[in-house]
Amino acid sequence: MRAVRLGVSSLLLHKLRSFLTTLGVLFGVSSVIAMLAIAEGASVEAQEQIRQLGSSNVILRSVKPPEDKVSNQESRVLSYGLTHEDRARVAETYPGVKDVVAVLEVPEEVRFGSLSCRPRVLCVDPTYKEVTGRIMMEGRFLTGRDGQATASVCVLGYEVARYLFPFKPAIGERIKVGAEYFHVVGVMYPRVPIGSIKRDPGTEVGGEVFIPIKTGQRLFGERQVKIRSGGMDAQEVQLHEIIIAVEHDQDVPMIANASRLMLTDSHREKDYEVIVPLELLLRAQETKRIFSIVLASIAGISLLVGGIGIMNVMLATVTERTREIGIRRALGAKRHHIVTQFLVETVVLSGCGGVAGVVLGLIIPEIVEAAGDMRTIVTIQAPVLAFGISVATGVIFGLYPAWRAATMDPVEALRHE
Amino acid sequence: MSALPVDEPSGGVFVHPAQGGAEDTQTVAQLEGVSRVYSMGAEEVHALDDLSFSFGSGEYWAVMGSSGSGKSTLLNILGCIDRPTQGEYRVRGQAVSDLDDDELSELRSKELGFIFQSYNLIPQLNVLENILMPVLYQENPGEGIEERGRFLADRVGLGDRLTHRPTELSGGQQQRVAIARSLINDPALILADEATGNLDSKTAEEILELFDELHAEGKTILIVTHEPKVGERADRILRLKDGAIEGVEDNRR
Ligand SMILES: Nc1ncnc2c1ncn2[C@@H]1O[C@H](COP(=O)(O)OP(=O)(O)O)[C@@H](O)[C@H]1O
Ligand SMILES: [Mg+2]
């Protein structure tokens, strides 16, 4: 304790120099913590998004083929994408498939009274909710009976419900989808947790409306006509999405590959894509691993620079205090006393830098989150690790100057001016 | 002036060897054929050349000689911060060549007191801390060491300046602190190199009076000086020339 007090008083003799030396470590430590927090936040965000797709699902999605492949005929209706046949084949052929859900998206406007909006209107099978892991907020989801009866019922996504029915419950009301009336039977939570939605409601209503797929096919057909400025854009897509729910996770790659093969065989063009959340998840984890290595390198370099700064200053200090070292040695200090004295000083320097760095490193992610609308996660390990490394840096880079001081010849040191 | 509280020679690691006659118990420092050679490239400087001598307990010596005669070199060897290139040096019978660096440091901290021409106080420590410094490097400084520090500060007339920094003191006062520091471990041998060299004659006289008092109390003192007036204050004078003994004088009448 005495040694620490003495070290501090020596450092205070050169306040500015000590402060500037500390800065190197401070920025090293705080950038490590901040970068780790941002990386962790981004990674968790990505993984959550992927998980929402359902990690045991394989998603087949219709994709509009590149323009130049389709001869540019004005009148023709562009027809592409997944077919009912694809769906039937997937459902029948593969073992280990738990469920297959088809999705048809119709470009209809949704209206209630004078309010209207354009959410995604999804015509789905009743098991869609289970397969995608979505949760009801109130009411019920579509049932098999709705499908058989081609009932005109619908489930609203939270955003749509909030926009159309700001002051009263949506359930039991009748809304208009395109030219048809639908009864609202349920409201569903949005995909992303409500807390992080910051968009002003109404200005641009995203969200979803779900109707039974049979009802959708009967009322709106499979030809989607979008009215755009400068004309109409008609296209024919039988199914926009086929979601394959796999029983066991380990079968996911097999079923994904089988689906790819099947689609390559049956489609002339690549008017589809196969999305495998599990693969994305693995890839995201790999990306995170690489990211971490890069970060660790940057952190290592910044702390190395900080450490070299400390070493530089300590070498100057040792030279400057050669006479003091000579006096102490002549009066009975052993080598290890001198080593300890200078090591304590470097560790105090780097430790102060470390503490300040941890504080700054905890503040930066807050600022980033507030200003950049970015998610950051500070794990407990990050500050502990960063602080530990800063102290270790002090010890490692302080050893050489301290050793230099301790091995000086006392007679020479005493003669030093 | 009152006597020091601890005054018998300190026991501990470096006691007299069991052997040794009546003369040995009186000998504090003994040089046997000691040489110190500095080699500068091809050239060799014999700062000390085959020196043999003994300093007895309670004696007051002045080492004199012209500049470059080897006074400081001798003092460094006596003070155990330098080793002879040849020959043997014993402190209270303990051969220095048998000791490693740590043991030598311990010997300095327990048995030796240093007073330098340029005071050599540590600027970031206050008066009391400076006085206590040598014993704080001992493994076991003992009870009441701080009390002893205060007493010594009082003794050299700085009892009211304990918390002052060296820069706040005059040269004479700083040298007094250095003398108090050299006494803190109750050394077997006090070594002073040109201790009055930086001081005006009046202050130098005060310091020399302090040495007289210490001598009267039975301390063994060895001062290095080139000033005849200072050398005459000692009981005995050892004259050096070119690293060898030129003569020994006894001033006592
Ligand atoms: N570190 C050294 N390297 C080389 N020569 C030295 C060194 N220290 C002292 N000497 C030489 O040793 C001799 C004695 O020096 P010193 O003991 O300092 O003399 P004094 O103190 O009597 O003036 C001188 O010739 C000096 O040049
Ligand atoms: Mg000299």
Side-chain angles (χ1 to χ4, degrees), chain A residues 2 5-6 9-10 13 321 323-324 327-337 409-411 414, chain B residues 76 81-82 101-102 105-106 108-109 114 116 118 120-122 124-125 129 133-134 136-137 139 181:
Chain A
R2 222 184 73 86
R5 203 173 53 80
L6 279 180
S9 76
S10 292
L13 284 182
R321 285 158 67 186
R323 198 181 181 86
E324 177 193 328
I327 299 166
R328 288 182 185 271
R329 290 280 282 141
L331 298 183
K334 295 175 184 169
R335 286 201 174 122
H336 73 83
H337 289 126
D409 175 22
V411 178
L414 275 172
Chain B
N76 289 341
I81 52 175
D82 197 6
D101 193 84
D102 273 6
S105 301
E106 199 166 335
R108 291 197 290 269
S109 118
F114 270 102
F116 304 92
S118 47
N120 279 347
L121 302 179
I122 293 181
Q124 60 265 37
L125 302 181
E129 288 166 338
M133 204 196 52
L136 293 183
Y137 285 123
E139 250 129 66
R181 180 177 67 183

Side-chain angles (χ1 to χ4, degrees), chain A residues 409 411-412 415, chain B residues 36-40 45-48 63-76 82 193-194 224 226 240 242-243:
Chain A
D409 175 22
V411 178
E412 291 292 331
R415 201 178 292 152
Chain B
R36 179 67 171 94
V37 182
Y38 294 105
S39 32
M40 311 177 60
V45 180
H46 289 253
L48 290 179
V63 177
M64 298 195 65
S66 57
S67 181
S69 58
K71 304 185 296 292
S72 295
T73 306
L74 174 63
L75 198 90
N76 289 341
D82 197 6
D193 194 354
E194 305 276 9
V224 162
H226 64 270
L240 286 185
D242 298 334

Side-chain angles (χ1 to χ4, degrees), chain A residues 68-143:
Chain A
D68 55 306
K69 285 204 176 169
V70 192
S71 48
N72 220 350
Q73 293 157 303
E74 294 287 312
S75 57
R76 236 197 70 186
V77 173
L78 178 58
S79 172
Y80 67 90
L82 301 164
T83 59
H84 297 295
E85 231 170 278
D86 293 331
R87 187 221 151 125
R89 222 172 286 157
V90 168
E92 285 154 21
T93 328
Y94 303 140
V97 170
K98 190 165 65 182
D99 210 338
V100 177
V101 176
V103 180
L104 170 71
E105 188 170 347
V106 292
E108 302 292 342
E109 197 179 40
V110 175
R111 250 177 297 158
F112 177 76
S114 58
L115 294 170
S116 72
C117 58
R118 284 200 153 273
R120 298 177 67 194
V121 177
L122 301 172
C123 313
V124 297
D125 287 318
T127 46
Y128 178 88
K129 183 176 81 81
E130 278 75 43
V131 165
T132 55
R134 303 285 295 271
I135 299 163
M136 295 305 293
M137 199 154 126
E138 44 194 356
R140 63 171 178 85
F141 196 68
L142 309 169
T143 60

Side-chain angles (χ1 to χ4, degrees), chain A residues 71 101-103 132 134-135 157 171 184-185 227 232 250 267 305 310 345 362 376 389 392 396 400 408:
Chain A
S71 48
V101 176
V103 180
T132 55
R134 303 285 295 271
I135 299 163
I171 292 173
V184 179
V185 294
I227 299 160
M232 290 201 306
Q250 71 261 29
H267 287 242
V305 171
I310 287 186
E345 283 184 30
L362 294 178
T376 60
I389 292 175
I396 290 165
Y400 176 64
M408 274 179 189

